[in-house]
Amino acid sequence: MVKEPRPGRVKTRLGREIGMVNAAWWYRHQTTRLLRRLSDSRWLTVLAVTPDSEGFKSRVWPPGLSRIPQGSGDLGQRMTRAFAASPGPTLLIGSDIPGIGRQHVAAGFSALGRARSVIGPAEDGGFWMIGLHCPQRPPKDLFRGTRWSHPETLADALPTLPRPIAIVDTLADVDTASDLR
């Protein structure tokens, strides 16, 4: 799940503290490093981009990576669409998590071998990864009532996921200047 790294349109909470240009620069470089770090022949990486039209023609993203539009709506609606577009077990990963490594992705897919869904909690009460074993048929109430960018995001999302749920490592995302430290 990636956003076009334009000042004032990405990492705006961070941008209010360090400047919108600096926040967009950080996000662009963080995402580039993340994509390089997660490149692996064991899985297919697809970028779910927003805004749809700019994300598709952007030269920011590495060439050769498949792209799908996130579409409109809140984050839950956009993630549900990304899941439904996938033919098999799928992990959706946030792009503002500096600590993600290949081992975390491998652990997520491994967890989907024994669970119908997997989630990676974030330190701030949200989550950095979410996965479904059968994403083509997401539950109708997936993410219903979930408060986004809220300390209870994880708690809100958990009851909407197919059971059993596997939980993997807790990682930190970057939303504020203090998170950068």
Side-chain angles (χ1 to χ4, degrees):
M1 303 289 290
V2 296
K3 284 185 171 183
E4 181 69 14
R6 300 252 184 230
R9 294 173 74 186
V10 65
K11 304 308 299 171
T12 54
R13 281 192 289 168
L14 177 62
R16 285 192 289 274
E17 296 178 53
I18 68 170
M20 295 299 176
V21 171
N22 289 335
W25 182 92
W26 178 85
Y27 179 76
R28 178 180 181 163
H29 290 276
Q30 157 58 27
T31 303
T32 300
R33 287 188 303 269
L34 175 71
L35 292 170
R36 194 175 316 121
R37 203 169 50 247
L38 296 186
S39 176
D40 197 299
S41 62
R42 293 176 289 175
W43 50 75
L44 173 65
T45 300
V46 176
L47 300 179
V49 298
T50 191
D52 299 348
S53 60
E54 287 178 47
F56 269 90
K57 57 188 172 183
S58 175
R59 289 187 227 153
V60 171
W61 313 122
L65 283 180
S66 298
R67 300 171 194 183
I68 60 170
Q70 288 185 22
S72 61
D74 69 20
L75 181 58
Q77 292 166 321
R78 292 181 287 135
M79 287 193 301
T80 299
R81 254 192 306 283
F83 275 131
S86 178
T90 300
L91 300 176
L92 299 180
I93 297 174
S95 49
D96 62 349
I97 321 294
I100 300 173
R102 286 185 188 105
Q103 73 277 15
H104 296 105
V105 175
F109 279 118
S110 178
L112 286 179
R114 61 185 183 280
R116 292 185 59 214
S117 53
V118 62
I119 199 158
E123 291 180 356
D124 65 1
F127 52 90
W128 60 270
M129 175 181 66
I130 190 157
L132 295 178
H133 187 265
C134 296
Q136 314 85 326
R137 298 181 309 276
K140 289 182 187 205
D141 66 342
L142 186 63
F143 305 123
R144 184 171 292 148
T146 300
R147 295 167 284 181
W148 301 107
S149 299
H150 189 277
E152 298 298 320
T153 298
L154 175 65
D156 291 347
L158 279 172
T160 73
L161 297 176
R163 303 279 191 268
I165 302 169
I167 298 178
V168 295
D169 293 342
T170 299
L171 296 177
D173 62 354
V174 174
D175 293 318
T176 65
S178 65
D179 296 336
L180 283 174
R181 294 182 201 102

